[in-house]
Each structure stands twice: as C-alpha cells, then as structure tokens.
Amino acid sequence: MSYIQAHQDQVLQLFLQHLQLAGTALGLALLIAFPVSIVIARYQHLYGPVIGVLDAIYTIPSLALLALLVPIIGIGRTPALIALVAYAQLILVRNIVTGLRGVSPAVVEAATGLGMNEAQALWRVRLPLALPVIIAGLRIATVAVIGIGTVAAFVDAGGLGTLLFNGVSQNDPAQIEAGALAIAVLAIMADLLLRLVEWWAGRAAGGTA
Amino acid sequence: MPAVAFEHVSKRYSTGEHAAVKDCTLLVETGAFVVLLGPSGCGKTTLLKMVNRLIEPSEGRITVDGEDIHSLPETALRRRIGYVIQQVGLFPHMSVEQNIAVVPRLLHWPKERTSERTDALLELVGLPPDEYRRRRPRELSGGQQQRVGLARAIAADPAILLMDEPFGAIDAITRARLQDELLRIQAQVRKTVLFVTHDVEEALRLADVLVVMREGRILQAAHPRTILSQPADPFVAELVGASDLLRRLSLIPIGETMHPLPTGKPAELPIIERRESLRAALAKLLDSGGQSLIVVDSGVPAGLIELSDIYAAARQAPSAEALPA
C-alpha cells in the first residue's frame, strides 16, 4: 500500500492504460466475434473447425504468443492487442453461438412464421434473447483479458504488468504487491459491473425462456 | 375461387425415401374451418406448413386466393397468413402488447392504429387490455399465452389462419373453453382456418370440413357428419369412431329434426334450447322419463322433439352436403 501511496500518479496512469488496453482489445474482439458467431450459428458445420482453431490459439501460453509476434510486428501496443483479441475470441464466439442456439426453436419458428426475415429475426428476437449468455461470455473474456494483459508490459505495451516486471528486475516486492493488488481490483470491479449488466439483460430477456 | 388450393402436392425428404405428403389435392373455401386430422406422422403438419412456406413442396402447386404462393416473397406471404403453434412461441422479452404488434410493426402500421388494434384484439380474446397489455408472457397461464398467440396471429387481419395443434399442450378443461372461444371468435372474424389436431373430439367440434389423413394421403374430406355417417374406409371409420351413435347424435342440431309446435299442447314438458344437439335432447329425455321435449329458441317455444325422432335420426344416415375431396 505504501508503494501505491508514494507513486499514486504512476499507478493511476498504468491502471488507466491497462483499462484502455483491455477495453480496446475487447471492443475489437467483439467486432470480430459477432459476425463470426452469427455465421457459425447459421452454418453449424463450421462450428467444429472454427472452435478447434480458436481453442488451439487459446492453449498457446501468452508469453510465448507475444514472443512469437515480436519478430513479425515489433513491440508496443499492436502485438499486445493482437494477442488479447485472439485469446478473447474463443470465449466470445463460444458464448455468442451458445446463446443464439439456446433460443427456443418455437420462438424462432414463430418469428419466421409471422413473416420476419432473417435479419429481423436476428435483431428483434434472437440477439435480445441470447444477450444474457453473450454478456456472461463478455464478463469471462474481460476478466481473462485483464489478467493476460499484464504480460503486455513484456512487449512494452504498458499497463499494470509494468509494475510486476519492474518489481522483479529491481527486486522490489512492494512494487510487485502494488501491481498485483491493482490488477485484482480492476478485474473484480469489471466482473461485478458485468454481473450487474448480465442480471439486467436476463430480466430484459424475460427470465428463463 | 377457393381461399387455399392444394393441387397434387407432395413432399419428399431427401433423407427418407417415403414421402411425408403424397399427391394431396384439397380446395378450401373462403371462411371455412378446415381441420386436418390424423395420427402422428400422417403429414398433416407438413401440409399445413407448406401454406406459409415453412416447408416447400417437392411437387404440386399451392395457391392462396388464386395466386401461386411462389409468386410472392416468403415474408410478404407470411405476413398475410396468421400462424399459431402448439408451443405458442411468444417472444419472452416483449410485453403482451409488443407481441401482438409484431406483424403490424413489420407492415409499418402507424402507432395509433397498432395500439387500437392491440386493445381490440385483447378484448376479443378475453384478456382485459388494461390488465394484460404490459405483462410479460411468463406472467401468463398456458391458456392465456395461447390467447395472446391467437391475437398475435390475427393482428394484421389476415384472411387465412393456420393453427398447428394450438391446444395440444393445454389441460382438458381450458382446452374445451378455448375451443368454444375460438368458435365464437371465428363467428365474428370469419377467417379461413386450417387447423391441425390429432384429437378427434376437438376435430368434430370445430370443423366445417374435416380432412382425415393417413401416411401422407388425404383419405376423406367432408363435413364431420358425412364422415361419421359415410366414412370412406374402415380406417376413417375407426379413427373418428363412426360406430359411436352418441357421437353422431352430438353433431345433429335439434333445430333440424324438430316438429312445429302443435296448438293446444300442454306446456308441462321439459324444455331444451334449439342449438343443442340430439345427444343433449336424448340425455334430457332419459333424465325426465318422458317422450317429448319443447324446443325453445332463446326462451321462446319454437317446436317439439320426440324420442322417435331421435331414433329415426340415429338409424338413418343424415343427408349431408358432401365436399370435394
């Protein structure tokens, strides 16, 4: 705690940087995951291969993935974002597809039978009903990205990982503790916030249906 | 011009070599209540879903109001045809009001017109709008949900209504009440209804035209009384219980067999409403131990019915208007 008090500005700056990195990564990840998931939910035979690839990426240790990206892309924010987006894909795609598939077939049949086209059925019925499951996926992905984001400091992308790396190299346990604490606070805050959103989405989707 | 015409319609699924629907031809007159009856797997639901193109026929042609349904875009066709399914399929994230307004919204009705229509429909299906408009589907009983399902199906006033076992998942008492209400609503709105069921009692009760199906074929299409009195084959006879005299009597209204009221008849006899069936008259006669009943039309004596009339009606096959098969 004393480290944080003594270096308030630096910790706050790294905290915000971390938040921004994670937020950007999640935003990009969602932009990719939505279209991919909608296509997979429609052409179900694609599910196996796509999830297989994403699963394989997910198993690569984060430090190793970053190390592999450096010779190709260099250091900085870009390799860190690529790695975070790649890790989030598996969680997001799996949850969005599960959410879309989980919508009751009777409800989808009603939407079609009443004369909605595919886009209308998706936007007005399937996505709103899948939202609780999608938000749950977003919450898990967020916590994962905040955690994995600490490694971004390794490629000079900043964030709270900086405190951990510096603490180790400078043999400064107080700095390591401060970094770990700040990351935990960020992850817990994000988790709680998204739990709230998830609860709200569940209510909006009409409860269990 | 028939409201819906099936012309040599067949449906084969590539997976199985047997056809789900085989060479079905059926003309449905405007305003008719047509019930498709048969055991599971007989093709009745497949035939129904081909009308709004949820299933495409492999062969044959279907027309709606004389137009080939393939000349219209699917969505435009479906917005013109009401659709009610057994699992109801209300949208759980929308209020009752929003559910009913789905098709009017798709058709870009003005807000005012939609909300007036929604209220009128809620009244029609017996759910007071002030109480139910804002409820979510999960706050309704199964029977109430299906009432909303019906209101949603007829929201944009389609001329044709498809109903796929709408009361199949509803308890017997509620089902009977919903059948009565459906007949009352039908008398008011006069849709051309295609109704799928495997419940014989329900079919006999609702149908103007009963279509009996088996293994993808239409075995007989006629008024329920004709089917009971002249079943096309032993399967139809057994399915509808044609040998059940009481069932037959239950389909004959008293008004058809009664005599004019003779003058000077003592008014001490039990009375029965004209719209009741001969079965009800028989029950009343057995109960009273007498030979005749006074028939009343909304309280006013209109005629007389005797036990011998019921005997006669039970013995002879009632003349009935046969319909094209």
Side-chain angles (χ1 to χ4, degrees), chain A residues 5 12 14 22 25 31 37 75 80 82-83 92 95 108 129 134 137 145-146 153 169 182 184-185 195:
Chain A
Q5 278 158 359
L12 184 65
L14 292 174
L31 283 180
S37 306
I75 59 168
I82 291 174
L92 291 177
N95 274 268
V108 176
L129 291 177
I134 295 175
V145 163
I146 289 172
S169 61
V185 167
R195 270 181 204 277

Side-chain angles (χ1 to χ4, degrees), chain B residues 37 197-205 210 239-241 247:
Chain B
L37 174 71
T197 185
H198 60 254
D199 177 343
V200 178
E201 294 288 343
E202 179 168 80
L204 293 173
R205 197 154 172 213
L210 183 55
L239 181 75
V240 299
R247 182 171 275 178

